[in-house]
C-alpha cells in the first residue's frame, strides 16, 4: 500500500463493474444533482459486500499487471526445470543472419570481462498493443487509462480536495526534508496532485495513466500521472482502454521468441527481461550487432509491437543502454565507452535511487554520476548509509556486482485492497478478513509455497483527513499500520491465516469505520514443490554429462568396448548406482540432521527444509561420471579413455565427499559453483550446508576447516551480498552442529 503521491494507487479498471446499476449519462450538470449521486453511492459495492473481493481482482489494473509479471517469472522457472539446454533453432538464426543482405561487416565488440548482457524492453507496451486495433491513432498523443477524463461531474458532499492534497504535500515535504537534512518549508518539489482540479472541474480526474505514447511524452505527460493533470498539458490527449488479453498474447510471443535461443533469462515483467548472451553469441559465432537486429526484427514481425535492446557487461549498463536506444533501437555500451557514458548519467536515472536519495545528493551539490566520482566510498557511506553508499559508489562507475538470477524465488505472497474499504461494524471487517485469507491461500497454492510469518497491513484514515475521499471510495490520506505474527510451523491454510490476522486486528482496537485499506502478506516462505530444480551446480553437472556424450560420439568410441579404461568407467558407474541406495539412510546416520532448522537463524535466511534436499541429489550423481577421472571441472574424462595413458582404478572411498564424491573433487565442484556468476539457489546452498554438517558428525574437522576458509575467501573475493549471506548461513548451521557434537563452536580465525 502506497501513498497516493509516492506510489501507484490500486484502482478499479471500471468503477461501473462494482456497481449494481448503470450510472446515468450526464447531459446537463444541473440535472445530475447531489441526491442522484448519493443514490448511486448507496448501491455501489464496498468491501462489506460478500462478492467484493472476486469482482475487485477481476477488474483491478494493478492486480492484472502484477499477475502477468509473476506468471512469466514462473514460466522461465518451469522452462529451465524441464529443458535439456539444447537450442536447435540457433542454427536457423545463424543461417538467417548470414544470408541477410543487411548483415553488417563490423568486428566483434569488446565488453568488460567478456560478459554480454542484454536488456530488452517493449516500447510503450500497453499503448503499442492497443494501437494494433487502432491504427488511426498512430502518431497522436495516446494514453491507456480507464477514464476518458475532461468530463464535468457534480461535487460529492463532504469532499475537500484542497485539505487532502495539502496533507499529501506536507507529508512529502517532511520526508524529503528529513532525507536531505533541510527544513520542511525550504523543500521544493512537484507533487502529482499539483495540477489536478476540483471534482467538478474539467481537469479533476484522478484516473491514473498506465502508459502513454512518445507523442504524449513530448507534451510532458508521463506514466502514473493523473488524467486531470495530463489534460492540462495536452487537451487533445486520446485514451484507449486496457487490453489484458492482448498484453498476455504479446508477452508470450516475446518470451517464446527468446527461449528458442537461450534460457539464461532473468524475467522482470511481462514486457521486460535481462538475457545473458555470452554463451549464445560464442556458440553461433555472430556479432552482437547482427544478433540484436535479427532478434528485434523477429519480435516485431511476430507481435506487431516495437522493442528496444541495450547491451553491456552487467545489468546496470544494459538497462542504461536500453534507455539510450529507445524508441525502437539498439545500443551497445562497450568497454571503451563506459567511463564517458556514465559521466553524464543523472543520479535520478540510476535504479534504486528514489526521490529522497536524489534530493539528499542534490543538497550536497551532486546531480550526475560524474560529479559523484569525487566522493570517496567512506564519504558516500557517511551520507547515505553503508549499503546505499556502496551501491552508488559502484553504479556511478558503471559497475554492478549483482549477477543475473535465472531462477526466481518468491519471497512473499500477499493480497491487498485499498479501494472500497468501508465497514460499518466489526462483523463486516472480520468477514472481509476471512475472504482475504481465502484469496491469500489460493495464491499460495498457485505458487506452491507455505509461510511462517503473517503480516496484517492496515490503512487508517488520518485524524485531519476528510471522511469523504478525493477519489470516490479511494483510501485518501491515511496512516499505515503493519503488525506481524510468527508461526511455529509454516502453513498456507486459510483458517490459520484468518485466525492470526483477526487476532492482530483486534489488538489494535481500531474503529472499523475508519479503515481504508487492508492487506495480508505471508513471508518466510518454504517451497512445497519437491521436484528437483536445475540450480547452478546442477546445470554445471548437466553440461559435463552432455559434453562427455558429445565427445564420445565425435571420437567414434564404441559403447561396447572392453578396454581396461572402459571397464573402469563401468566400475565407476556401478559405484554411482550404489550411492542411490545410501541416500535414503544418509540423513538418519547424521546426529545433526535435526539441526537444519537453526534456533539462531536470522530472518531472511534460506529455510533448511530437509525434504527439499534429497530430490536434488540425483542430479549431483551426474558429476561422478565426469569427475573420478578428470583433473579439472572442465577437462573431458573421455580423453583419458582414448589415450590409454593411465589405467588407475579409483578406490571407493569412505563417505568423505559431497554425496560420496572423493574429497579432492569437492573444491573443484565448489569452485565451479562459486565462479558460475549466477545468484546462489536454495537447493545448492542446502546441499553444501548439509555436507559440511555431516563432516562435523564424522568428526572430520581438519578438512571442514579447509572448506570453511576456502568458502570465506572466495565469497569475500566475489563481493556480492548474496554470496556473503550464503557463507553466513552455512557457517551458522556448521556452528550449531559443532555445539551439538563438541559442545563448542568451530574457531574461525
Amino acid at each position: 500500500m502506497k501513498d497516493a503521491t509516492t506510489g501507484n494507487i490500486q484502482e478499479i479498471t471500471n468503477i461501473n463493474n462494482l456497481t449494481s446499476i448503470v450510472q446515468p449519462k450526464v447531459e446537463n450538470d444541473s440535472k445530475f444533482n447531489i441526491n442522484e449521486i448519493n443514490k448511486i453511492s448507496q448501491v455501489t459495492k464496498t468491501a462489506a459486500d460478500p462478492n467484493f473481493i472476486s469482482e475487485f481482482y477481476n477488474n483491478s489494473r494493478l492486480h492484472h499487471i502484477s499477475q502477468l509479471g509473476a506468471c512469466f517469472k514462473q514460466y522461465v522457472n518451469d522452462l529451465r526445470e524441464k529443458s535439456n539446454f539444447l537450442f536447435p533453432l540457433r542454427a536457423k538464426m545463424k543461417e538467417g543472419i548470414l544470408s541477410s543482405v543487411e548483415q553488417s561487416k563490423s568486428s566483434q565488440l569488446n565488453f568488460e570481462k567478456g560478459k554480454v548482457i542484454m536488456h530488452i524492453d517493449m516500447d510503450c507496451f500497453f499503448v503499442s498493443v492497443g494501437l494494433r486495433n487502432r491504427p488511426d491513432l498512430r502518431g497522436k498523443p495516446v494514453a491507456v487509462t480507464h477514464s476518458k477524463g475532461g468530463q464535468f461531474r457534480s461535487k460529492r458532499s463532504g469532499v475537500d480536495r484542497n485539505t487532502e492534497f495539502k496533507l499529501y504535500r506536507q507529508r512529502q515535504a517532511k520526508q524529503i526534508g528529513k532525507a536531505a537534512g533541510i527544513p520542511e518549508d525550504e523543500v521544493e518539489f512537484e507533487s502529482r496532485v499539483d495540477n489536478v482540479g476540483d471534482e467538478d472541474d474539467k481537469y479533476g480526474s484522478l484516473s491514473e495513466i498506465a502508459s502513454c505514447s512518445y507523442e504524449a511524452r513530448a507534451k510532458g505527460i508521463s506514466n502514473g500521472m493523473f488524467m486531470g493533470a495530463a489534460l492540462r498539458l495536452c487537451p487533445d490527449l486520446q485514451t484507449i482502454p486496457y487490453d489484458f488479453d492482448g498484453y498476455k498474447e504479446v508477452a508470450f510471443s516475446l518470451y517464446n521468441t527468446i527461449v528458442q535461443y537461450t534460457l539464461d533469462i532473468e524475467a522482470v515483467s511481462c514486457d521486460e527481461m535481462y538475457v545473458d548472451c555470452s554463451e549464445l553469441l560464442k556458440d553461433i559465432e555472430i556479432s552482437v550487432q547482427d544478433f540484436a537486429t535479427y532478434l528485434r526484427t523477429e519480435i516485431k514481425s511476430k507481435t506487431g509491437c516495437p522493442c528496444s535492446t541495450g547491451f553491456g557487461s552487467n545489468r546496470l549498463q544494459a538497462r542504461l543502454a536500453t534507455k539510450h536506444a529507445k524508441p525502437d533501437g539498439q545500443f551497445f555500451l562497450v568497454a571503451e565507452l563506459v567511463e564517458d557514458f556514465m559521466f553524464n548519467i543523472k543520479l535520478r536515472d540510476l535504479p534504486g535511487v528514489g526521490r529522497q536519495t536524489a534530493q539528499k545528493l542534490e543538497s550536497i551539490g551532486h546531480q550526475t554520476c560524474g560529479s559523484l566520482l569525487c566522493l570517496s566510498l567512506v564519504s558516500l557511506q557517511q551520507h547515505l548509509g553503508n549499503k546505499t553508499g556502496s551501491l552508488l559508489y559502484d553504479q556511478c562507475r558503471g559497475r554492478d556486482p549483482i549477477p543475473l538470477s535465472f531462477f526466481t524465488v518468491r519471497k512473499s505472497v500477499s493480497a491487498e485492497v485499498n479501494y472500497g474499504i468501508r465497514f460499518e461494524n466489526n462483523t463486516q471487517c472480520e468477514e472481509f478478513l476471512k475472504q482475504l485469507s481465502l484469496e491469500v491461500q489460493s495464491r499460495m497454492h498457485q505458487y506452491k509455497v507455505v509461510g511462517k510469518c503473517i503480516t496484517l497491513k492496515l490503512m487508517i484514515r488520518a485524524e485531519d483527513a476528510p471522511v469523504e475521499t478525493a477519489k470516490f471510495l479511494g483510501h485518501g490520506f491515511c496512516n499505515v499500520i503493519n503488525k506481524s505474527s510468527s508461526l511455529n510451523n509454516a502453513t498456507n491454510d486459510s483458517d490459520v491465516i484468518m485466525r492470526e490476522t483477526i487476532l492482530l486486528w483486534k489488538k489494535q482496537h481500531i474503529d472499523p469505520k475508519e479503515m481504508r485499506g487492508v492487506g495480508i502478506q505471508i513471508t518466510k516462505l518454504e517451497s512445497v514443490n519437491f521436484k528437483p530444480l536445475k540450480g547452478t551446480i546442477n546445470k554445471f553437472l548437466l553440461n559435463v554429462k552432455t559434453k562427455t556424450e558429445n565427445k564420445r560420439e565425435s571420437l567414434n568410441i564404441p559403447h561396447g568396448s572392453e578396454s581396461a579404461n572402459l571397464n573402469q568407467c563401468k566400475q565407476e558407474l556401478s559405484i554411482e548406482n550404489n550411492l542411490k541406495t545410501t541416500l535414503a539412510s544418509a540423513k538418519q546416520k547424521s546426529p545433526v540432521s535435526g539441526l537444519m532448522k537453526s534456533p539462531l537463524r536470522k530472518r531472511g535466511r534460506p529455510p533448511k527444509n530437509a525434504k527439499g534436499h534429497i530430490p536434488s541429489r540425483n542430479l549431483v550423481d551426474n558429476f561422478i561420471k565426469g569427475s573420478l577421472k578428470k583433473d579439472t571441472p572442465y577437462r573431458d574424462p573421455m580423453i583419458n579413455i582414448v589415450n590409454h595413458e593411465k589405467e588407475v582404478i579409483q578406490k571407493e572411498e569412505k563417505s568423505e565427499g559431497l554425496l560420496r564424491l572423493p574429497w579432492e573433487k569437492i573444491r573443484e565442484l565448489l569452485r565451479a559453483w562459486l565462479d558460475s556468476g549466477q545468484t546462489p539457489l536454495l537447493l545448492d546452498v542446502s546441499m553444501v550446508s548439509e555436507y559440511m554438517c555431516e563432516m562435523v558428525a564424522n568428526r572430520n574437522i581438519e578438512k571442514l576447516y579447509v572448506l570453511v576458509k576456502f568458502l570465506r575467501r572466495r565469497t569475500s573475493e566475489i563481493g556480492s551480498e548474496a554470496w556473503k549471506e550464503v557463507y553466513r548461513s552455512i557457517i551458522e548451521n556448521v556452528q550449531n552442529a559443532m555445539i551439538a557434537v563438541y559442545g563448542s563452536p568451530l574457531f574461525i580465525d
Side-chain angles (χ1 to χ4, degrees), residues 619-635:
L619 293 175
V620 181
D621 295 345
N622 295 333
F623 183 73
I624 297 173
K625 298 178 183 179
S627 295
L628 295 177
K629 288 283 295 178
K630 58 191 178 69
D631 299 324
T632 68
Y634 303 102
R635 183 174 298 177

Side-chain angles (χ1 to χ4, degrees), residues 139-158:
K140 299 180 180 180
V142 179
V144 176
T145 180
H146 74 257
S147 173
K148 293 183 178 180
Q151 299 176 347
F152 292 97
R153 299 184 181 186
S154 295
K155 192 173 182 179
R156 289 175 288 130
S157 175

Side-chain angles (χ1 to χ4, degrees), residues 376-393:
S376 66
L377 175 60
V378 174
S379 178
L380 272 175
Q381 291 176 332
Q382 288 175 345
H383 283 96
L384 305 173
N386 290 339
K387 186 175 181 180
T388 305
S390 178
L391 177 66
L392 269 179
Y393 184 81

